Amino acid sequence: EVQLVESGGGLVQPGGSLRLSCAASGFTFSSYAMSWVRQAPGKGLEWVSAISGSGVSTYYADSVKGRFTISRDNSKNTLHLQMNSLRAEDTAVYYCAKDSPNGDYVDYWGQGTLVTVSS
Amino acid sequence: VIWMTQSPSLLSASTGDRLTISCRMSQGISSYLAWYQQKPGKAPELLIYAASTLQSGVPSRFSGSGSGTDFTLTISCLQSEDFATYYCQQYYSFPRTFGQGTKVEIK
């Protein structure tokens, strides 16, 4: 059974940093691309970032490019999202997501971790 | 960036109704489209990928169609557990983008 468990969310001041982690199990982690998707309170889904199975290729939404960094540790089956220069508009539930075998759509989602950016 | 227009944003319906949700792309994406269902306080779940392929375990009352720029999600006979918000997503190119969502509520 695929399991994705996020951690690292919390309250941070504008301009601050936070590192999210996602512990994956139930599949061969290094064989799959992974993504982060966020959802601001009461709003829709927003794709944030993706990383290939090897970690060589990374992709970002324009809204986070230059501020967020996605990475993975295949030896520990863990996905990370380093978030710097946080803004109020980054407040959201952040979902860790496993991509499909071809690295296209998301086929499994974690339960999410809430990030609140406020002074 | 590929922009997506999902409509309607709100749909009031009754159990047993047939529903159609539309998703239109700013440019052609072949069949690289997925549909997700999200219930309040829960993570989204995959319903359909490749525009029309049902994810394993998803009831057959859900179906998807379309290619290029125009896509449709149909629920043939709405059940109580189907009241939720539905999102389309293109995976033709990065950045991936989602539609704005369609909330299906009880009439």
Side-chain angles (χ1 to χ4, degrees):
Chain A
E1 178 192 4
V2 171
Q3 287 198 335
L4 302 168
V5 180
E6 301 94 338
S7 61
L11 175 64
V12 61
Q13 292 188 339
S17 298
L18 213 55
R19 190 192 197 206
L20 304 184
S21 297
C22 172
S25 60
F27 62 102
T28 305
F29 183 69
S30 60
S31 296
Y32 293 89
M34 299 290 292
S35 298
W36 289 97
V37 176
R38 69 184 181 184
Q39 186 168 37
K43 302 297 185 182
L45 301 172
E46 180 187 13
W47 178 85
V48 172
S49 181
I51 186 168
S52 62
S54 65
V56 169
S57 299
T58 58
Y59 309 88
Y60 297 94
D62 288 345
S63 58
V64 307
K65 199 173 295 182
R67 300 187 299 123
F68 290 11
T69 302
I70 191 171
S71 64
R72 64 192 298 159
D73 185 340
N74 286 344
S75 69
K76 296 182 179 178
N77 290 355
T78 304
L79 176 71
H80 300 288
L81 185 68
Q82 178 66 43
M83 305 185 294
N84 298 331
S85 302
L86 282 162
R87 307 166 180 167
E89 54 264 36
D90 295 318
T91 294
V93 172
Y94 285 74
Y95 293 103
C96 168
K98 172 188 168 295
D99 286 3
S100 63
N102 290 331
D104 298 328
Y105 52 90
V106 171
D107 56 6
Y108 290 95
W109 301 72
Q111 286 308 298
T113 187
L114 176 62
V115 172
T116 303
V117 184
S118 175
S119 54
Chain B
V1 180
I2 297 176
W3 300 105
M4 307 171 70
T5 302
Q6 187 176 340
S7 62
S9 56
L10 179 64
L11 233 175
S12 297
S14 301
T15 303
D17 284 353
R18 178 184 178 89
L19 298 186
T20 298
I21 298 170
S22 171
C23 201
R24 176 165 287 181
M25 308 297 131
S26 61
Q27 65 184 75
I29 62 166
S30 184
S31 296
Y32 295 100
L33 187 98
W35 289 96
Y36 302 92
Q37 177 193 68
Q38 186 180 33
K39 296 182 179 178
K42 300 293 187 182
E45 293 185 357
L46 176 66
L47 293 176
I48 287 169
Y49 59 93
S52 61
T53 303
L54 217 58
Q55 171 71 344
S56 175
V58 174
S60 59
R61 62 181 178 273
F62 291 91
S63 64
S65 64
S67 68
T69 59
D70 292 306
F71 300 85
T72 299
L73 172 69
T74 299
I75 308 174
S76 61
C77 183
L78 195 67
Q79 302 298 300
S80 58
E81 60 266 32
D82 301 334
F83 291 99
T85 301
Y86 295 85
Y87 296 92
C88 54
Q89 185 208 14
Q90 66 82 18
Y91 51 93
Y92 178 80
S93 66
F94 287 103
R96 306 294 196 226
T97 43
F98 287 92
Q100 299 90 334
T102 295
K103 182 178 181 180
V104 177
E105 67 171 19
I106 300 173
K107 184 185 290 184

